[in-house]
Amino acid sequence: MDTMESKDVSTKQRRIAELARIHPEVGFTLLAHHIDLEWLYEAYERTRKDGAVGVDEQTAEEYAWELGTNLKSLLERAKSGTYKAPPVRRVHIPKGSSGKEKRPIGVPTFEDKVLQRAVQMVLEPLYEQEFLDCSYGFRPKRSAHEALQVLWEHLMELGGGWIIDLDIRKFFDTMDHAHLRDILKKRVRDGMLLRLIGKWLKAGVWEKGSVSCPEQGTPQGGVISPMLSNIYLHEVLDKWFMEVVRPRLRGRAYLVRFADDAVLVFSDERDARRVREVLPKRFGKYGLTLHPEKTRLIRFERPGSPTERKGSGSFNFLGFTHYWGHSRKGNWVVKRKTEKSRFSRALRAVSEWCKRNRHLPVKEQHRALGRKLWGHYSYYGITGNARSLGNFRYQVWRVWCKWLNRRSRGNHMPWEKFYLLRGRYPLPPVRVVHSVYAAKL
């Protein structure tokens, strides 16, 4: 039955995509009829079951006790307009290397996540026909590593060039609701979908026992938020840059965006400076502000090139520092290493885990640390970053030894004893998971 439901949903999504492709300028009024009980079952299957609970404290397991009844009720309320979007529960997670700065995350209720997923499943095939190749965040069959690979290829092709490292100040908190509605209505004119999205934008935030209702922004953590952010920035940045700006430039230029992180690459310095000057006005038109210090114009030319001058810089994107270095053959290439703040944050998280769990059996600690290292390799394991990976593995060894040594006063573990221990419980070796050479095969 699940397979039939999944096929039925896939067929409907293909039909939406086909209509969107045939009618690129049309606003669709009949989209919500695709959301039926089978569609909600599929949305439920695609919703994470191990996430944090919302303001109603209902878990996915509890919701599943009467799944059929709950989904029927949800469908009726959504269709009739009586569904009330509950406020999201705000939590704060560490941001930056110090761990002192916090990033607010909104946690919807589980039922709200299911309905948001159902709407996202309608919007995705529609907007995938709109979105451009320069966008990689939260899209099917696209990833951060693809964005990094394409950026690397652009930089190598141009010999570096000039970089605008774009930083939007508090994007998810400042996205303008009125502008978002206007952008949505160009393609979505279905009353039910617009009504639900409006309710989520106005749902409010629950924190410390009270609810506040911001007049702008969409909480990070919501299922629908990544889709809305992509729709917004497609209009504000992607479409504008590719269709309006780039044809007017003297040299070559590229844009690579992942969610609200973006890098613009230019072969010509004058082009880069002209675009840097107009960017604040473009974003300001849509209620957004560029961070004046973090949005930088960087000269990133290959050392030894005819136009390169002393002091070519580096920049960060998606957790990696990009810089010029020598290949094994001695050629200048763009290299990537783990960004310093990301390295510190990941190591601090391991240290906190070792501190909290130092009294567990060593075998269990070893197994858990192995999983953490594999997780680190799975993201940061890219070509040229082996040294950072090796350093991270070594620092994990040191942290583990430190907290094993503090299990109790009488259980001192000098380095000699720890070397014997780690011979018995070796941590996973460094692995380059995302190789540029494998990608060429």
Side-chain angles (χ1 to χ4, degrees):
M1 183 176 177
D2 290 342
T3 304
M4 291 179 63
E5 290 170 358
S6 180
K7 287 183 178 179
D8 184 49
V9 170
S10 297
T11 301
K12 291 179 179 180
Q13 288 183 313
R14 285 195 296 270
R15 180 58 177 162
I16 294 172
E18 181 183 357
L19 289 172
R21 188 165 49 250
I22 294 173
H23 305 288
E25 304 296 329
V26 172
F28 290 89
T29 58
L30 296 175
L31 290 169
H33 74 279
H34 292 292
I35 301 178
D36 53 18
L37 194 57
E38 289 75 22
W39 192 280
L40 283 184
Y41 268 108
E42 180 64 20
Y44 166 81
E45 290 296 328
R46 297 187 188 185
T47 302
R48 281 186 56 183
K49 311 299 189 296
D50 59 348
V53 297
V55 294
D56 62 354
E57 299 185 352
Q58 185 181 46
T59 65
E61 184 180 3
E62 292 169 345
Y63 192 81
W65 288 347
E66 297 183 10
L67 182 59
T69 301
N70 288 334
L71 293 182
K72 287 178 183 177
S73 172
L74 178 60
L75 181 62
E76 290 173 1
R77 284 176 283 138
K79 294 283 188 179
S80 65
T82 59
Y83 179 78
K84 293 183 179 180
V88 299
R89 182 172 66 87
R90 175 167 285 171
V91 297
H92 297 267
I93 62 174
K95 176 184 178 182
S97 59
S98 66
K100 296 180 180 179
E101 190 177 357
K102 302 289 185 179
R103 181 195 301 274
I105 297 292
V107 182
T109 64
F110 182 77
E111 181 176 68
D112 209 38
K113 291 177 184 178
V114 172
L115 188 55
Q116 288 190 30
R117 178 67 65 190
V119 173
Q120 182 265 343
M121 286 161 54
V122 175
L123 297 180
E124 183 177 88
L126 172 64
Y127 278 99
E128 275 301 305
Q129 315 313 309
E130 294 272 308
F131 293 157
L132 303 177
D133 286 341
C134 59
S135 166
Y136 291 86
F138 307 107
R139 294 181 59 187
K141 300 180 180 179
R142 290 185 163 230
S143 68
H145 293 100
E146 287 182 281
L148 289 164
Q149 176 63 21
V150 168
L151 175 60
W152 183 84
E153 292 171 359
H154 291 331
L155 293 171
M156 290 297 294
E157 175 195 340
L158 298 181
W162 289 77
I163 308 294
I164 296 179
D165 183 7
L166 202 65
D167 188 281
I168 307 172
R169 176 179 280 173
K170 297 182 177 180
F171 169 69
F172 285 93
D173 295 333
T174 58
M175 189 165 58
D176 186 87
H177 292 175
H179 284 303
L180 176 59
R181 291 189 189 95
D182 290 341
I183 294 169
L184 279 168
K185 287 178 181 177
K186 292 181 179 181
R187 293 295 264 163
V188 180
R189 296 179 185 174
D190 186 291
M192 174 183 156
L193 297 187
L194 293 175
R195 185 168 59 245
L196 285 172
I197 292 172
K199 289 181 177 182
W200 287 320
L201 293 175
K202 297 177 181 179
V205 176
W206 185 90
E207 186 176 19
K208 296 180 180 179
S210 62
V211 176
S212 60
C213 296
E215 296 182 359
Q216 56 187 10
T218 178
Q220 284 182 269
V223 175
I224 199 69
S225 295
M227 173 60 69
L228 297 181
S229 68
N230 267 341
I231 293 171
Y232 205 80
L233 289 176
H234 167 75
E235 183 74 20
V236 176
L237 179 60
D238 303 356
K239 190 176 177 181
W240 170 74
F241 180 80
M242 301 301 288
E243 298 181 4
V244 178
V245 174
R246 201 161 73 159
R248 292 175 168 80
L249 300 180
R250 296 163 55 94
R252 288 171 291 173
Y254 300 101
L255 165 66
V256 179
R257 181 176 68 81
F258 189 95
D260 60 329
D261 290 328
V263 169
L264 293 85
V265 186
F266 301 85
S267 64
D268 187 275
E269 178 183 354
R270 286 167 292 183
D271 288 341
R273 293 191 179 280
R274 286 170 56 203
V275 174
R276 176 65 183 89
E277 289 178 2
V278 301
L279 277 172
K281 184 177 180 181
R282 174 64 184 180
F283 279 81
K285 179 180 177 181
Y286 290 88
L288 300 174
T289 306
L290 295 182
H291 198 294
E293 297 175 358
K294 295 181 179 180
T295 298
R296 302 183 300 148
L297 177 61
I298 304 156
R299 180 162 39 81
F300 192 72
E301 295 171 305
R302 181 176 55 233
S305 65
T307 58
E308 188 267 340
R309 300 188 298 273
K310 185 178 180 181
S312 186
S314 62
F315 67 95
N316 298 324
F317 184 60
L318 297 181
F320 293 91
T321 298
H322 295 65
Y323 65 101
W324 284 102
H326 283 109
S327 68
R328 290 182 180 180
K329 295 182 179 180
N331 300 319
W332 285 107
V333 296
V334 176
K335 307 191 84 173
R336 289 85 54 90
K337 63 182 178 180
T338 308
E339 187 181 333
K340 185 177 179 180
S341 63
R342 297 288 190 94
F343 187 100
S344 300
R345 187 193 310 172
L347 187 61
R348 187 175 62 251
V350 171
S351 181
E352 287 294 323
W353 186 92
C354 289
K355 178 182 178 180
R356 292 193 309 269
N357 297 278
R358 63 187 182 274
H359 296 295
L360 289 176
V362 173
K363 188 175 183 179
E364 290 186 27
Q365 293 188 47
H366 169 255
R367 188 161 49 243
L369 289 174
R371 288 196 298 266
K372 292 180 184 297
L373 271 174
W374 281 123
H376 190 82
Y377 298 160
S378 69
Y379 185 78
Y380 293 102
I382 66 173
T383 300
N385 196 35
R387 180 178 294 181
S388 290
L389 298 179
N391 186 27
F392 185 77
R393 181 175 181 266
Y394 172 72
Q395 295 301 331
V396 170
W397 275 123
R398 291 180 59 86
V399 165
W400 193 22
C401 179
K402 169 186 172 181
W403 289 110
L404 284 177
N405 197 33
R406 298 185 183 185
R407 287 166 70 132
S408 65
R409 292 183 179 179
N411 191 23
H412 181 64
M413 181 175 286
W415 276 106
E416 294 80 6
K417 184 177 179 181
F418 184 72
Y419 282 132
L420 294 175
L421 179 72
R422 79 175 194 176
R424 184 177 179 184
Y425 296 104
L427 291 177
V430 168
R431 182 184 176 192
V432 176
V433 179
H434 307 279
S435 169
V436 295
Y437 306 109
K440 293 178 180 179
L441 296 178

